[in-house]
Amino acid sequence: MDWGTPALVASLQGLIARDQLKSGVLIFPREKGGFLAGSVYRRIWAKAREAVLPEHEYNSPVGKQVYDLRHTCLTTWLNNGIPPAQVADWGGNSVPVLLSTYARCVTGQIAELQRRIEGPQALPGTITAFGASLPSRLSAAGRDRRVR
């Protein structure tokens, strides 16, 4: 199934194509070329966090490092039901690495997954753990027949 491309990924791919950037070329180089210093990223990131986060979140570990965004993004995709193979592709991971790192972060899907499992497997006329009563396929007369 083609899930398309997330907007930010598409935007960066467009920038790379437009500028005909080759592998290894920096998208955000220093003024005279080369890598930006880590201290530059950290300083700008701290200012951005302070500008957009409420004080209690700014003082917490939320998004303390730029790399935290990657974890948040991949976890959000998984929590919203995007298949792990697609998340791994978009995130630049292998599926085994993705699952070993993020599978324990997936939350909020158990009830829906149990509904998916119990619906097709429930016996006619039974009530599932979620209170859904499935219609009986047998008529009242059919239920009264006994095998002798």
Side-chain angles (χ1 to χ4, degrees):
M1 172 177 259
D2 180 13
W3 287 84
T5 304
L8 181 57
V9 173
S11 179
L12 288 172
Q13 289 172 338
L15 173 70
I16 291 166
R18 183 196 72 200
D19 293 347
Q20 298 178 347
L21 300 177
K22 302 295 179 215
S23 180
V25 174
L26 300 175
I27 295 175
F28 305 109
R30 287 183 7 205
E31 194 172 346
K32 295 180 180 178
F35 290 96
L36 289 172
S39 61
V40 173
Y41 282 111
R42 287 188 295 277
R43 186 174 62 249
I44 292 169
W45 185 245
K47 287 180 182 180
R49 284 183 75 243
E50 187 174 25
V52 300
L53 294 177
E55 185 177 355
H56 72 281
E57 284 186 11
Y58 175 74
N59 293 326
S60 78
V62 170
K64 196 75 164 184
Q65 302 173 54
V66 175
Y67 193 73
D68 294 340
L69 294 178
R70 183 175 191 281
H71 293 298
T72 300
C73 182
L74 299 181
T75 301
T76 299
W77 287 342
L78 289 170
N79 279 325
N80 283 291
I82 305 299
Q86 186 61 65
V87 173
D89 182 52
W90 287 340
N93 287 100
S94 68
V95 173
V97 167
L98 179 88
L99 294 177
S100 71
T101 305
Y102 297 99
R104 67 185 174 278
C105 300
V106 177
T107 61
Q109 295 181 16
I110 297 300
E112 173 60 25
L113 294 173
Q114 286 174 324
R115 270 192 286 280
R116 288 184 195 175
I117 291 169
E118 287 192 11
Q121 294 179 352
L123 296 173
T126 62
I127 297 178
T128 68
F130 298 96
S133 177
L134 298 175
S136 174
R137 290 189 179 94
L138 298 175
S139 67
R143 283 194 303 268
D144 291 338
R145 289 189 193 138
R146 293 198 176 29
V147 176
R148 295 180 199 235

